[in-house]
Amino acid sequence: MAVSIRLLLPVLLLLLFPLIYTMSILHERWNPKDMKKLSPKKPNQLVLEPAAGQGLPNRIQCQGTEALNRIYPSSKNSNSEDKVSFVTVFTIYKSDPTNEKMLDRVTVGEISYNTKSERSLAILNTYINFIQVSMPSSNVVVLTDPDSTFLLDQNNAIKFPIEGDYSRSNLMLQRIKSYIAYLKRILKSYEMEKANKNIIFSDSDIAVVDNLGDIFQKYHDFHVALTFRNNKNQPLNSGFIAVRGTQDGIRKAKVLLEEVLDIYISKYMGASCMLGDQLALYWVIKLHLPSAIQKFNQHESFTGYVKGVSVLFLPCAIYNWTPPEGAGQFHGMPLDVKIVHFKGSTKRLMLESWNFYNSTSNMSNMLCLILCSGRTKYDF
């Protein structure tokens, strides 16, 4: 038996040598920092899946990227009452190794984006483009740092410089301050202009896909409109605040936002830079209108008074619908959706959606594109 083992040993070594040699080479070359390079890359193109919500009432029904039951209203139906000033806060941060390093090139259609600044500006321009299509009588006001050098090439958009601290960690706090400063400027010029457009303060990573002017026509007795969702910790979304463009409406909106600013500074300066304003807004509503809280799990609009300000609460599902990030169950897109809010890994989808609309001129089909691809994450 011992002799047979001695005879087999050289054969076994001969057979195992290639495996042992390969493992030793891999061990020498292995570096934990390189593991990310070995990870499969996220897709660099849209990956379409079956549209969620098929067969459910009041949800968009799609066949591929073709919408079967939503007809996009013609802009010819718009009238002078639909004119709205969309106001957003935007800045491009100064170049540094973190913010402006060359990243993997992102290509959407025939356009490539190499830096975060290029991508951010592309999102802003897409935001303006969607407003131009859905509400052609409206304009966009970009509140920004006076030192900002980015250019806007759309006729319906202007830069409005306001002094402040627009650093990343302070941006949400500065956003409220900029909103208040803008309202003060509007109030000063109101008497000279005799009339003012209604105002919608919003994030710039949204696509307006339907006429929002009907908010001011359908609901007559509000000064400020907010959107709510069934979220215990953050039921109010500060990314959409509508203000009636009367002198009283503008003044009341300033009063509400000034209290939100005071609460932010006194209670939530330690919160994440992207959460403080929403937490402060919720605190103000909870303090002055506690009856609103139990209605946030419903899907119907309602009105209440906060320090003499008439506040209209609108369901996020229609006025701030967000494509989910990553795989997960959700109930599709409401048939009457008016805003699609792109966040995090879905921001690239905003550019893809505009590229698709630009090539088809069909807003309803574009919504099916979003619905079919909203569960896919992208590097952006």
Side-chain angles (χ1 to χ4, degrees):
M1 183 71 178
V3 174
S4 62
I5 292 177
R6 290 195 194 99
L7 292 174
L8 290 174
L9 189 58
V11 177
L12 290 172
L13 289 174
L14 185 63
L15 292 173
L16 292 174
F17 178 76
L19 178 62
I20 296 171
Y21 177 76
T22 301
M23 293 297 294
S24 65
I25 293 296
L26 288 175
H27 179 74
E28 290 177 5
R29 295 180 180 179
W30 183 77
N31 186 340
K33 294 181 180 180
D34 294 333
M35 288 302 292
K36 291 183 179 179
K37 298 178 182 178
L38 299 176
S39 301
K41 290 193 67 175
K42 295 178 182 178
N44 197 34
Q45 59 186 2
L46 290 178
V47 179
L48 301 182
E49 300 179 1
Q54 298 308 284
L56 296 178
N58 301 320
R59 293 294 185 269
I60 294 178
Q61 305 297 302
C62 303
Q63 186 173 13
T65 57
E66 181 181 354
L68 302 178
N69 64 335
R70 177 186 165 102
I71 300 176
Y72 180 67
S74 170
S75 60
K76 294 180 182 178
N77 295 329
S78 299
N79 55 48
S80 58
E81 294 182 20
D82 297 333
K83 293 180 180 178
V84 173
S85 285
F86 285 84
V87 182
T88 191
V89 172
F90 179 85
T91 191
I92 290 181
Y93 299 102
K94 295 179 181 179
S95 299
D96 62 53
T98 302
N99 295 330
E100 288 297 333
K101 66 181 180 181
M102 296 297 289
L103 303 173
D104 292 337
R105 176 178 294 184
V106 171
T107 301
V108 178
E110 297 180 354
I111 303 176
S112 295
Y113 308 97
N114 297 313
T115 66
K116 288 185 177 180
S117 293
E118 288 181 5
R119 301 174 195 185
S120 296
L121 191 56
I123 291 290
L124 177 65
N125 282 313
T126 302
Y127 161 77
I128 298 170
N129 288 337
F130 273 115
I131 291 171
Q132 179 66 47
V133 169
S134 299
M135 300 181 65
S137 298
S138 296
N139 69 301
V140 178
V141 179
V142 181
L143 309 182
T144 189
D145 185 344
D147 294 330
S148 291
T149 58
F150 65 90
L151 299 176
L152 298 175
D153 55 3
Q154 284 93 336
N155 294 329
N156 65 323
I158 61 169
K159 290 171 64 176
F160 196 105
I162 292 178
E163 293 285 349
D165 177 5
Y166 290 81
S167 61
R168 289 183 185 275
S169 60
N170 196 66
L171 189 58
M172 294 299 101
L173 180 64
Q174 180 58 46
R175 182 165 74 169
I176 300 177
K177 291 181 177 180
S178 295
Y179 286 173
I180 294 171
Y182 179 76
L183 292 174
K184 287 180 178 178
R185 300 270 190 97
I186 293 298
L187 280 174
K188 285 183 179 179
S189 64
Y190 196 96
E191 287 301 322
M192 291 185 294
E193 297 181 7
K194 299 299 179 184
N196 240 296
K197 290 183 178 180
N198 295 314
I199 299 168
I200 292 179
F201 293 113
S202 76
D203 292 337
S204 59
D205 53 359
I206 68 170
V208 177
V209 298
D210 203 345
N211 186 8
L212 288 167
D214 67 349
I215 296 176
F216 302 96
Q217 296 179 38
K218 183 178 179 180
Y219 306 98
H220 300 286
D221 300 324
F222 76 91
H223 300 119
V224 176
L226 305 173
T227 56
F228 68 90
R229 58 200 170 193
N230 188 17
N231 182 313
K232 183 177 180 180
N233 298 319
Q234 299 174 58
L236 296 173
N237 191 323
S238 59
F240 178 95
I241 302 174
V243 177
R244 189 173 297 281
T246 62
Q247 194 169 18
D248 190 43
I250 295 169
R251 186 181 294 111
K252 292 293 180 60
K254 184 176 75 71
V255 168
L256 179 64
L257 290 179
E258 284 174 340
E259 176 151 6
V260 172
L261 177 62
D262 290 341
I263 295 301
Y264 193 135
I265 293 172
S266 64
K267 290 182 175 293
Y268 296 112
M269 289 298 290
S272 166
C273 61
M274 295 300 172
L275 294 180
D277 61 331
Q278 293 192 154
L279 295 173
L281 181 60
Y282 178 40
W283 195 96
V284 170
I285 299 301
K286 183 170 59 173
L287 176 66
H288 297 286
L289 191 63
S291 61
I293 299 173
Q294 57 189 332
K295 298 180 181 179
F296 289 155
N297 62 352
Q298 302 173 12
H299 300 285
E300 297 179 357
S301 60
F302 64 96
T303 306
Y305 279 87
V306 178
K307 293 191 68 175
V309 181
S310 177
V311 180
L312 169 66
F313 297 88
L314 300 166
C316 265
I318 297 173
Y319 295 96
N320 231 322
W321 187 85
T322 304
E325 298 181 59
Q329 295 296 320
F330 66 110
H331 301 297
M333 185 184 294
L335 189 59
D336 49 354
V337 65
K338 294 185 180 297
I339 291 177
V340 178
H341 194 170
F342 300 89
K343 295 182 179 180
S345 63
T346 68
K347 284 189 178 182
R348 175 179 167 177
L349 181 56
M350 182 176 178
L351 300 185
E352 297 275 11
S353 302
W354 174 251
N355 181 64
F356 181 83
Y357 172 78
N358 222 15
S359 63
T360 63
S361 298
N362 190 307
M363 190 70 76
S364 297
N365 289 353
M366 186 215 69
L367 294 177
C368 280
L369 178 83
I370 295 172
L371 186 55
C372 290
S373 57
R375 288 174 287 175
T376 303
K377 285 191 175 185
Y378 299 95
D379 286 316
F380 196 69

